[in-house]
PDB file of all heavy atoms in Angstrom:
ATOM      1  N   PHE A  67     -10.996 -34.496  61.849  1.00 97.00           N
ATOM      2  CA  PHE A  67     -10.421 -34.736  60.559  1.00 97.00           C
ATOM      3  C   PHE A  67     -10.218 -36.232  60.248  1.00 97.00           C
ATOM      4  O   PHE A  67     -10.154 -36.560  59.049  1.00 97.00           O
ATOM      5  CB  PHE A  67      -9.055 -34.069  60.445  1.00 97.00           C
ATOM      6  CG  PHE A  67      -7.939 -34.682  61.289  1.00 97.00           C
ATOM      7  CD1 PHE A  67      -7.257 -35.750  60.789  1.00 97.00           C
ATOM      8  CD2 PHE A  67      -7.753 -34.349  62.639  1.00 97.00           C
ATOM      9  CE1 PHE A  67      -6.298 -36.385  61.607  1.00 97.00           C
ATOM     10  CE2 PHE A  67      -6.834 -34.920  63.410  1.00 97.00           C
ATOM     11  CZ  PHE A  67      -6.061 -36.069  62.898  1.00 97.00           C
ATOM     12  N   LEU A  68     -10.360 -37.086  61.289  1.00 98.00           N
ATOM     13  CA  LEU A  68     -10.144 -38.483  61.023  1.00 98.00           C
ATOM     14  C   LEU A  68     -11.262 -39.141  60.235  1.00 98.00           C
ATOM     15  O   LEU A  68     -12.452 -38.917  60.606  1.00 98.00           O
ATOM     16  CB  LEU A  68     -10.013 -39.231  62.349  1.00 98.00           C
ATOM     17  CG  LEU A  68      -8.662 -39.180  63.018  1.00 98.00           C
ATOM     18  CD1 LEU A  68      -8.795 -39.828  64.420  1.00 98.00           C
ATOM     19  CD2 LEU A  68      -7.591 -39.927  62.243  1.00 98.00           C
ATOM     20  N   ARG A  69     -10.908 -39.781  59.149  1.00 98.00           N
ATOM     21  CA  ARG A  69     -11.973 -40.519  58.346  1.00 98.00           C
ATOM     22  C   ARG A  69     -12.670 -41.508  59.296  1.00 98.00           C
ATOM     23  O   ARG A  69     -11.945 -42.232  60.004  1.00 98.00           O
ATOM     24  CB  ARG A  69     -11.426 -41.167  57.146  1.00 98.00           C
ATOM     25  CG  ARG A  69     -11.225 -40.096  56.048  1.00 98.00           C
ATOM     26  CD  ARG A  69     -10.870 -40.828  54.841  1.00 98.00           C
ATOM     27  NE  ARG A  69      -9.431 -41.298  54.916  1.00 98.00           N
ATOM     28  CZ  ARG A  69      -8.794 -42.053  54.003  1.00 98.00           C
ATOM     29  NH1 ARG A  69      -9.539 -42.482  52.964  1.00 98.00           N
ATOM     30  NH2 ARG A  69      -7.581 -42.417  54.168  1.00 98.00           N
ATOM     31  N   GLY A  70     -13.976 -41.555  59.303  1.00 98.00           N
ATOM     32  CA  GLY A  70     -14.646 -42.467  60.222  1.00 98.00           C
ATOM     33  C   GLY A  70     -15.079 -41.865  61.521  1.00 98.00           C
ATOM     34  O   GLY A  70     -15.909 -42.505  62.247  1.00 98.00           O
ATOM     35  N   SER A  71     -14.568 -40.647  61.781  1.00 98.00           N
ATOM     36  CA  SER A  71     -14.889 -40.041  63.095  1.00 98.00           C
ATOM     37  C   SER A  71     -16.382 -39.633  63.219  1.00 98.00           C
ATOM     38  O   SER A  71     -16.906 -39.486  64.283  1.00 98.00           O
ATOM     39  CB  SER A  71     -13.978 -38.847  63.354  1.00 98.00           C
ATOM     40  OG  SER A  71     -14.238 -37.828  62.352  1.00 98.00           O
ATOM     41  N   GLU A  72     -17.056 -39.575  62.015  1.00 98.00           N
ATOM     42  CA  GLU A  72     -18.466 -39.240  62.090  1.00 98.00           C
ATOM     43  C   GLU A  72     -19.253 -40.393  62.720  1.00 98.00           C
ATOM     44  O   GLU A  72     -20.423 -40.136  63.077  1.00 98.00           O
ATOM     45  CB  GLU A  72     -19.052 -38.948  60.621  1.00 98.00           C
ATOM     46  CG  GLU A  72     -19.021 -40.138  59.673  1.00 98.00           C
ATOM     47  CD  GLU A  72     -17.637 -40.517  59.152  1.00 98.00           C
ATOM     48  OE1 GLU A  72     -16.654 -39.783  59.387  1.00 98.00           O
ATOM     49  OE2 GLU A  72     -17.572 -41.519  58.359  1.00 98.00           O
ATOM     50  N   ARG A  73     -18.662 -41.486  62.915  1.00 98.00           N
ATOM     51  CA  ARG A  73     -19.414 -42.591  63.533  1.00 98.00           C
ATOM     52  C   ARG A  73     -19.277 -42.472  65.171  1.00 98.00           C
ATOM     53  O   ARG A  73     -20.015 -43.271  65.813  1.00 98.00           O
ATOM     54  CB  ARG A  73     -18.797 -43.987  63.202  1.00 98.00           C
ATOM     55  CG  ARG A  73     -18.710 -44.251  61.674  1.00 98.00           C
ATOM     56  CD  ARG A  73     -19.941 -44.875  61.163  1.00 98.00           C
ATOM     57  NE  ARG A  73     -20.585 -46.032  61.862  1.00 98.00           N
ATOM     58  CZ  ARG A  73     -20.997 -47.052  61.287  1.00 98.00           C
ATOM     59  NH1 ARG A  73     -21.005 -47.215  60.015  1.00 98.00           N
ATOM     60  NH2 ARG A  73     -21.541 -47.955  62.091  1.00 98.00           N
ATOM     61  N   ILE A  74     -18.530 -41.597  65.670  1.00 98.00           N
ATOM     62  CA  ILE A  74     -18.439 -41.426  67.089  1.00 98.00           C
ATOM     63  C   ILE A  74     -19.754 -40.673  67.570  1.00 98.00           C
ATOM     64  O   ILE A  74     -19.975 -39.540  67.087  1.00 98.00           O
ATOM     65  CB  ILE A  74     -17.261 -40.620  67.553  1.00 98.00           C
ATOM     66  CG1 ILE A  74     -15.937 -41.231  67.052  1.00 98.00           C
ATOM     67  CG2 ILE A  74     -17.220 -40.327  69.084  1.00 98.00           C
ATOM     68  CD1 ILE A  74     -15.397 -42.272  67.797  1.00 98.00           C
ATOM     69  N   GLU A  75     -20.565 -41.278  68.375  1.00 98.00           N
ATOM     70  CA  GLU A  75     -21.736 -40.650  68.865  1.00 98.00           C
ATOM     71  C   GLU A  75     -21.815 -40.441  70.356  1.00 98.00           C
ATOM     72  O   GLU A  75     -21.171 -41.208  71.098  1.00 98.00           O
ATOM     73  CB  GLU A  75     -23.047 -41.423  68.519  1.00 98.00           C
ATOM     74  CG  GLU A  75     -22.865 -42.593  67.547  1.00 98.00           C
ATOM     75  CD  GLU A  75     -24.087 -43.599  67.686  1.00 98.00           C
ATOM     76  OE1 GLU A  75     -25.229 -43.127  67.949  1.00 98.00           O
ATOM     77  OE2 GLU A  75     -23.812 -44.758  67.368  1.00 98.00           O
ATOM     78  N   ARG A  76     -22.533 -39.428  70.833  1.00 98.00           N
ATOM     79  CA  ARG A  76     -22.816 -39.433  72.292  1.00 98.00           C
ATOM     80  C   ARG A  76     -23.785 -40.573  72.549  1.00 98.00           C
ATOM     81  O   ARG A  76     -24.593 -40.931  71.684  1.00 98.00           O
ATOM     82  CB  ARG A  76     -23.434 -38.105  72.641  1.00 98.00           C
ATOM     83  CG  ARG A  76     -22.413 -36.966  72.712  1.00 98.00           C
ATOM     84  CD  ARG A  76     -23.166 -35.653  73.016  1.00 98.00           C
ATOM     85  NE  ARG A  76     -22.255 -34.514  72.761  1.00 98.00           N
ATOM     86  CZ  ARG A  76     -21.469 -33.948  73.593  1.00 98.00           C
ATOM     87  NH1 ARG A  76     -21.458 -34.485  74.831  1.00 98.00           N
ATOM     88  NH2 ARG A  76     -20.684 -32.983  73.350  1.00 98.00           N
ATOM     89  N   PRO A  77     -23.729 -41.155  73.755  1.00 98.00           N
ATOM     90  CA  PRO A  77     -24.621 -42.279  74.025  1.00 98.00           C
ATOM     91  C   PRO A  77     -26.089 -41.857  73.979  1.00 98.00           C
ATOM     92  O   PRO A  77     -26.488 -40.784  74.374  1.00 98.00           O
ATOM     93  CB  PRO A  77     -24.207 -42.655  75.420  1.00 98.00           C
ATOM     94  CG  PRO A  77     -23.589 -41.485  76.051  1.00 98.00           C
ATOM     95  CD  PRO A  77     -22.896 -40.766  74.916  1.00 98.00           C
ATOM     96  N   PRO A  78     -26.933 -42.786  73.420  1.00 98.00           N
ATOM     97  CA  PRO A  78     -28.374 -42.569  73.444  1.00 98.00           C
ATOM     98  C   PRO A  78     -28.966 -42.571  74.859  1.00 98.00           C
ATOM     99  O   PRO A  78     -28.335 -43.184  75.764  1.00 98.00           O
ATOM    100  CB  PRO A  78     -28.959 -43.717  72.570  1.00 98.00           C
ATOM    101  CG  PRO A  78     -27.904 -44.755  72.651  1.00 98.00           C
ATOM    102  CD  PRO A  78     -26.585 -44.139  72.875  1.00 98.00           C
ATOM    103  N   ALA A  79     -30.139 -42.004  75.035  1.00 97.00           N
ATOM    104  CA  ALA A  79     -30.666 -41.894  76.419  1.00 97.00           C
ATOM    105  C   ALA A  79     -31.176 -43.291  76.906  1.00 97.00           C
ATOM    106  O   ALA A  79     -31.110 -43.558  78.168  1.00 97.00           O
ATOM    107  CB  ALA A  79     -31.864 -40.910  76.419  1.00 97.00           C
ATOM    108  N   ASP A  80     -31.565 -44.147  76.021  1.00 97.00           N
ATOM    109  CA  ASP A  80     -32.050 -45.488  76.414  1.00 97.00           C
ATOM    110  C   ASP A  80     -31.048 -46.543  76.228  1.00 97.00           C
ATOM    111  O   ASP A  80     -30.293 -46.508  75.302  1.00 97.00           O
ATOM    112  CB  ASP A  80     -33.340 -45.790  75.691  1.00 97.00           C
ATOM    113  CG  ASP A  80     -34.488 -44.865  76.111  1.00 97.00           C
ATOM    114  OD1 ASP A  80     -34.558 -44.457  77.242  1.00 97.00           O
ATOM    115  OD2 ASP A  80     -35.222 -44.369  75.206  1.00 97.00           O
ATOM    116  N   PRO A  81     -31.091 -47.581  77.059  1.00 98.00           N
ATOM    117  CA  PRO A  81     -30.084 -48.672  76.896  1.00 98.00           C
ATOM    118  C   PRO A  81     -30.282 -49.330  75.511  1.00 98.00           C
ATOM    119  O   PRO A  81     -31.414 -49.422  75.010  1.00 98.00           O
ATOM    120  CB  PRO A  81     -30.536 -49.634  77.994  1.00 98.00           C
ATOM    121  CG  PRO A  81     -31.105 -48.785  79.050  1.00 98.00           C
ATOM    122  CD  PRO A  81     -31.767 -47.692  78.313  1.00 98.00           C
TER     123      PRO A  81
END
Side-chain angles (χ1 to χ4, degrees):
Chain A
F67 71 88
L68 278 173
R69 280 187 288 174
S71 63
E72 67 284 353
R73 305 275 310 222
I74 304 279
E75 351 163 25
R76 284 176 194 270
D80 295 319

